[in-house]
Amino acid sequence: MKTIFKNAISSIIIGIEDYQSDDERRILSSVRNIYAGVLLLTKEVLVRMSPLDDLDLLISKNTKLVKNKDGSVKLQTTGNSTIDSNGIFKAYKEFGIKID
């Protein structure tokens, strides 16, 4: 799941490059890219906290309960959508992670 971390770093680097550009139109792109990069970094924290058998569990927008053959129950991700900033803040609060 190194893709999220790499995408985060790339977005932040591009945002900084946009900010340093002489073209005033790149400022808006700079803000978007830096925001996206930071958002991806916050998701990466949750990915690293997820169980090894489902690294997307804590960033998945949709999860469902699944009964295993032995009768135990686990959460399983469904779909490819990931949580938004509100979901991230909620998860961080539930895990006691402080974020500004």
Side-chain angles (χ1 to χ4, degrees), residues 73-88:
V73 177
K74 74 173 191 171
L75 281 173
Q76 182 177 338
T77 60
T78 59
N80 295 322
S81 298
T82 60
I83 57 176
D84 58 12
S85 58
N86 289 332
I88 291 168

Side-chain angles (χ1 to χ4, degrees), residues 21-94:
S21 170
D22 292 333
D23 186 347
E24 289 181 12
R25 297 174 298 171
R26 302 307 310 164
I27 296 296
L28 182 58
S29 177
S30 171
V31 171
R32 279 193 305 259
N33 279 307
I34 291 172
Y35 177 81
V38 171
L39 191 67
L40 287 168
L41 285 176
T42 61
K43 288 181 182 184
E44 178 66 19
V45 169
L46 295 173
V47 166
R48 291 180 182 197
M49 294 176 63
S50 292
L52 292 177
D53 64 335
D54 192 352
L55 294 176
D56 293 333
L57 183 64
L58 297 180
I59 64 167
S60 179
K61 190 171 189 174
N62 301 307
T63 56
K64 66 178 181 177
L65 291 173
V66 176
K67 195 172 189 179
N68 294 320
K69 291 179 182 178
D70 65 1
S72 63
V73 177
K74 74 173 191 171
L75 281 173
Q76 182 177 338
T77 60
T78 59
N80 295 322
S81 298
T82 60
I83 57 176
D84 58 12
S85 58
N86 289 332
I88 291 168
F89 284 121
K90 181 181 176 193
Y92 271 45
K93 184 176 181 180
E94 289 173 356

